[in-house]
Amino acid sequence: NEAQHYFDNRFGNKNWQFTYNGREAIKLALESYQLDKNDVVTILTTSENFYISSCVTLEIEAVCKWNRAITTETKVIFVNHEFGYPYPNMEKIVALGLPIIEDCCTTFFSQDQNQKIGKYGDFTIFSLPKFFPMQIGGIVVSNKGVNVNNSSLNAEQKQYIQNVMSFNLAKQDEILAKRKENFEYGLKQF
């Protein structure tokens, strides 16, 4: 139950749930907006690179269209905090008044100066295997109290995620230190 307590404390509410993976978390968040096929989700990334994982785009395409620049057709902004680096100037995105989904799949422990990464948007999604040694697992967090449909997880899968996360969260400091060491090694070598 360590994972349950950790996430209850971290998210400040109980309006979160484990999902089968990050794709399911995206799907559940998108479903809450009742978008139609002609609506647009704008994807913003920290690096502003052209590559967007099909894990993201295919889930959006199942519901509506997507693009890479905010336009008058934009109904939802999908902010991908990439590779441990939070998207800069989240306050400017919030000021637009559009719904926001924050993708924290590769920034599980990362924070900005305001300590609000994962709290700016209506929803925050996580893909746990992108950060932890596990086969399945995601999280969808509803920051505005919007109920989302239930995940497809069965009891055994949920227990697996809780067990693996409880084990890994107890090693948070060790995990972060090793990631920093590996990063600095990579910088030195390349």
Side-chain angles (χ1 to χ4, degrees):
N1 290 333
E2 292 302 316
Q4 182 81 33
H5 297 300
Y6 173 88
F7 292 121
D8 285 346
N9 289 333
R10 178 174 176 174
F11 301 133
N13 62 40
K14 302 225 180 215
N15 208 6
W16 67 274
Q17 65 176 302
F18 288 121
T19 60
Y20 187 79
N21 54 29
R23 292 183 306 277
E24 184 180 47
I26 293 169
K27 176 182 175 265
L28 294 174
L30 287 171
E31 284 176 351
S32 74
Y33 295 116
Q34 300 177 356
L35 299 166
D36 69 42
K37 288 287 183 190
N38 293 316
D39 289 332
V40 175
V41 172
T42 297
I43 302 171
L44 304 177
T45 64
T46 304
S47 66
E48 297 182 3
N49 66 15
F50 294 110
Y51 174 78
I52 303 294
S53 171
S54 63
C55 294
V56 172
T57 59
L58 291 177
E59 287 304 321
I60 296 171
E61 289 170 2
V63 176
C64 62
K65 301 174 186 176
W66 61 272
N67 69 10
R68 295 299 308 274
I70 298 170
T71 66
T72 56
E73 288 80 29
T74 299
K75 301 292 185 216
V76 175
I77 300 173
F78 188 94
V79 177
N80 186 341
H81 302 290
E82 293 179 298
F83 312 116
Y85 295 98
Y87 186 85
N89 301 316
M90 282 299 296
E91 292 84 8
K92 289 181 181 179
I93 302 303
V94 171
L96 296 172
L98 292 168
I100 299 169
I101 299 172
E102 288 184 80
D103 180 342
C104 292
C105 290
T106 59
T107 53
F108 187 85
F109 290 119
S110 300
Q111 274 302 326
D112 63 359
Q113 292 178 344
N114 300 323
Q115 300 295 305
K116 289 182 64 178
I117 293 300
K119 296 178 183 175
Y120 288 105
D122 302 321
F123 295 97
T124 306
I125 60 111
F126 298 89
S127 177
L128 300 174
K130 290 184 179 174
F131 207 87
F132 297 100
M134 55 197 308
Q135 287 74 42
I136 65 168
I139 299 173
V140 60
V141 181
S142 175
N143 294 316
K144 308 290 186 196
V146 175
N147 290 328
V148 294
N149 293 332
N150 286 327
S151 170
S152 65
L153 286 175
N154 63 38
E156 183 180 4
Q157 292 165 331
K158 184 177 178 182
Q159 189 62 54
Y160 163 79
I161 295 168
Q162 287 179 324
N163 290 348
V164 174
M165 288 305 299
S166 293
F167 175 81
N168 282 290
L169 289 169
K171 298 174 142 199
Q172 175 180 340
D173 292 340
E174 180 183 330
I175 290 169
L176 291 172
K178 188 63 174 173
R179 284 179 172 263
K180 183 178 181 185
E181 178 185 328
N182 290 343
F183 179 78
E184 290 171 353
Y185 173 80
L187 282 178
K188 182 180 173 185
Q189 293 301 311
F190 301 109

